[in-house]
Amino acid sequence: GNPDLDTWLDRGAFGPAELVAENIREWFSYEQRVPALKRIVLMIASLDPVGQLERFHHEVRPLLEMR
């Protein structure tokens, strides 16, 4: 079955831009432990996916150190 809400909140990236960026930076750090890690896929779950993607681009991405 699907994970419950607490699992999603624990493992997902929800909330203000700073919190989402913090979670994603943590995922980026996994590359040190898992050298084969090449990609992190973000799934946008929203009734307005384009709006969410634009929000991510403008609010979260600037907080990340992109290579």
Side-chain angles (χ1 to χ4, degrees):
N2 292 325
D4 60 23
L5 179 59
D6 290 333
T7 301
W8 280 115
L9 293 174
D10 183 50
R11 296 182 187 168
F14 301 92
E18 295 80 11
L19 180 60
V20 173
E22 181 181 320
N23 285 336
I24 293 172
R25 280 193 295 272
E26 181 181 343
W27 300 338
F28 284 160
S29 75
Y30 295 167
E31 187 176 19
Q32 295 170 1
R33 294 177 291 195
V34 184
L37 178 68
K38 300 296 180 205
R39 292 179 185 86
I40 295 173
V41 176
L42 301 175
M43 295 174 51
I44 305 290
S46 171
L47 296 175
D48 179 18
V50 172
Q52 281 296 99
L53 189 56
E54 288 174 346
R55 185 172 175 203
F56 176 86
H57 178 73
H58 292 292
E59 297 179 25
V60 178
R61 189 187 180 290
L63 302 175
L64 300 173
E65 295 178 17
M66 305 299 289
R67 292 184 237 161

